[in-house]
Amino acid sequence: MLRCSVEHLGNYQIAWMKADTQTLLSISSTMISRNYRIEASNSDNSTWFLHFHNVSLADRGYYLCQMNTVPPISRKGYLEVVVPPNILDEQTSTDVEVNEDDPAHLRCGALGYPAPEIRFKREDGVGIRYAVGGISGAVASSDTESVGGMEQTVGMLSFQSVTRADMGHYLCIANNSVPPSVSKRMVLNVRYREPAVYVSHQMIGVYRGDDVAINCTVTAYPRPVVFWQDNTGKMIISGGRYKVVENQVGESPPKLQTTLIIRSLKVDDISTYRCNASIDNDKNREKSLAVQLNEITRPSTESSLSQDVYFKDIFQHPSLGHSNYDESSSSSHSSQSQGSIRLIFLLIGLWTLPGVLCRRA
């Protein structure tokens, strides 16, 4: 709505005009224009309005509020029409897939008015690896042109030499201060030269007869083929005392965690196992890591309990009393110490027993 205030209008009339085309729109409250989205009104003889319904780009421009005096008296006002940004699918990348160390380009186009600004960000919140001080990385650029009364901006995020760390989901965000801002998701996939294989321990100490679980994590794109091998190179599959479990714990890039479980370890099981991963079953794109199982001696749990019980059962002397020890329950350290003291007194009593008996005789 445009408003025009007039003092001392008298018998003169107010007209509204489109300035750039000199098109007469209304005189007083009578509409001349056949544009039904526009209407004129007044609240009294001093305030006049020009209303626009469902504003379009064609309405942008200068308008005149003019009195039919000689010469005419007028005031000019500008109607700006802004357009929120809209991302153009035909100008925007979807999924981009390149080999490691090759160049890569993410493209994003948006239309709006004023000219949209394009920026890129990673969806996971990790900072983009930009080129700084001669260090290879990404370079952002944009270009803007006028299209049908609006502005079109095309932004580019270019990698001269892409690395596996650059792989992920990116957001193209277009904003021109006219809400709402818009975004589009795109994926940069980087084909690994070879998988990345990681094991937490390459040597594990085990007890014979126990169960053991060996973990291995593999990251690669495309999704790698992962399997376990024994020391002869034979593939291990689930069955019997062996079980292989695989879970995907990451999406971009695919990250797999595989676990080899061996139950009731035997002597032949205490050996070397290899976590093997390959891309497209290509021997040139294969990597593996070995895990060595080493047998360790189980610690001894022998205590003095059997000795205490043995001496207690053989020697009983009425003058020294009876040792009160519950074999079916576990004793504290202090109870064991008291039992040992009673045993010492018992042995001393036995040593002096003949002398005692003689004196009584």
Side-chain angles (χ1 to χ4, degrees):
M1 181 180 65
L2 298 179
R3 184 180 67 179
C4 181
S5 297
V6 182
E7 293 181 350
H8 312 299
L9 181 60
N11 294 324
Y12 295 106
Q13 292 182 314
I14 293 293
W16 286 99
M17 299 177 60
K18 184 76 181 294
D20 54 353
T21 60
Q22 291 295 306
T23 303
L24 182 62
L25 302 176
S26 67
I27 299 176
S28 294
S29 57
T30 303
M31 291 300 302
I32 306 300
S33 171
R34 294 185 178 180
N35 186 345
Y36 297 107
R37 294 184 301 103
I38 302 176
E39 63 176 316
S41 68
N42 65 293
S43 60
D44 51 38
N45 211 34
S46 62
T47 307
W48 299 80
F49 302 97
L50 186 64
H51 303 270
F52 296 84
H53 304 284
N54 193 21
V55 173
S56 71
L57 287 174
D59 299 326
R60 178 188 292 150
Y62 284 100
Y63 289 83
L64 290 177
C65 170
Q66 182 172 284
M67 290 190 296
N68 60 341
T69 57
V70 180
I73 299 174
S74 64
R75 287 292 183 267
K76 184 165 63 173
Y78 189 80
L79 173 64
E80 179 64 281
V81 179
V82 297
V83 182
N86 178 47
I87 291 182
L88 305 172
D89 291 338
E90 65 275 12
Q91 297 282 358
T92 303
S93 305
T94 51
D95 292 355
V96 176
E97 184 171 312
V98 296
N99 292 323
E100 204 169 351
D101 298 327
D102 283 356
H105 304 280
L106 299 180
R107 178 186 177 96
C108 181
L111 189 67
Y113 191 89
E117 293 182 356
I118 302 291
R119 67 183 181 94
F120 292 89
K121 66 175 292 186
R122 288 186 59 140
E123 191 176 52
D124 57 10
V126 176
I128 296 175
R129 186 180 60 91
Y130 285 103
V132 178
I135 300 176
S136 177
V139 176
S141 61
S142 63
D143 183 55
T144 301
E145 62 177 344
S146 297
V147 177
M150 290 191 287
E151 301 291 327
Q152 177 179 294
T153 302
V154 177
M156 295 283 291
L157 186 66
S158 302
F159 297 86
Q160 183 178 0
S161 178
V162 76
T163 70
R164 59 183 64 181
D166 299 319
M167 182 173 180
H169 296 84
Y170 288 76
L171 291 175
C172 155
I173 302 172
N175 179 36
N176 65 352
S177 300
V178 182
S181 60
V182 290
S183 65
K184 184 172 182 180
R185 184 180 191 241
M186 57 190 70
V187 182
L188 175 60
N189 289 318
V190 180
R191 296 179 62 89
Y192 281 38
R193 288 190 303 271
E194 61 181 19
V197 181
Y198 171 80
V199 294
S200 55
H201 298 91
Q202 290 192 272
M203 298 186 68
I204 302 175
V206 295
Y207 298 131
R208 194 186 308 180
D210 281 2
D211 297 346
V212 65
I214 311 172
N215 295 313
C216 177
T217 303
V218 179
T219 306
Y221 181 85
R223 182 187 173 109
V225 176
V226 181
F227 56 92
W228 289 92
Q229 293 175 307
D230 61 17
N231 60 347
T232 66
K234 180 181 177 181
M235 182 186 297
I236 300 174
I237 59 175
S238 293
R241 293 183 301 107
Y242 296 92
K243 184 177 181 180
V244 178
V245 180
E246 184 176 294
N247 294 302
Q248 182 165 334
V249 295
E251 177 184 359
S252 182
K255 186 176 184 180
L256 306 179
Q257 186 176 74
T258 178
T259 302
L260 172 62
I261 302 172
I262 308 173
R263 305 195 182 279
S264 303
L265 279 171
K266 297 182 178 180
V267 175
D268 294 341
D269 298 324
I270 301 175
S271 180
T272 300
Y273 297 87
R274 189 169 290 276
C275 175
N276 192 295
S278 66
I279 299 176
D280 298 334
N281 287 320
D282 186 347
K283 289 290 184 182
N284 296 321
R285 304 174 70 190
E286 184 176 282
K287 190 173 181 181
S288 64
L289 281 180
V291 178
Q292 174 69 45
L293 299 185
N294 294 321
E295 184 176 3
I296 57 177
T297 303
R298 195 180 296 274
S300 174
T301 58
E302 182 179 0
S303 69
S304 61
L305 174 61
S306 60
Q307 297 178 4
D308 292 342
V309 175
Y310 172 76
F311 284 113
K312 184 187 73 174
D313 290 342
I314 292 178
F315 302 109
Q316 295 288 343
H317 194 276
S319 64
L320 296 178
H322 178 69
S323 174
N324 185 16
Y325 186 87
D326 186 0
E327 295 177 19
S328 65
S329 63
S330 61
S331 300
S332 65
H333 179 70
S334 61
S335 299
Q336 293 178 1
S337 300
Q338 293 172 4
S340 300
I341 292 172
R342 285 194 293 269
L343 175 61
I344 292 172
F345 280 112
L346 176 62
L347 293 177
I348 294 173
L350 291 172
W351 180 261
T352 60
L353 184 60
V356 174
L357 295 177
C358 289
R359 285 193 295 271
R360 288 182 179 176

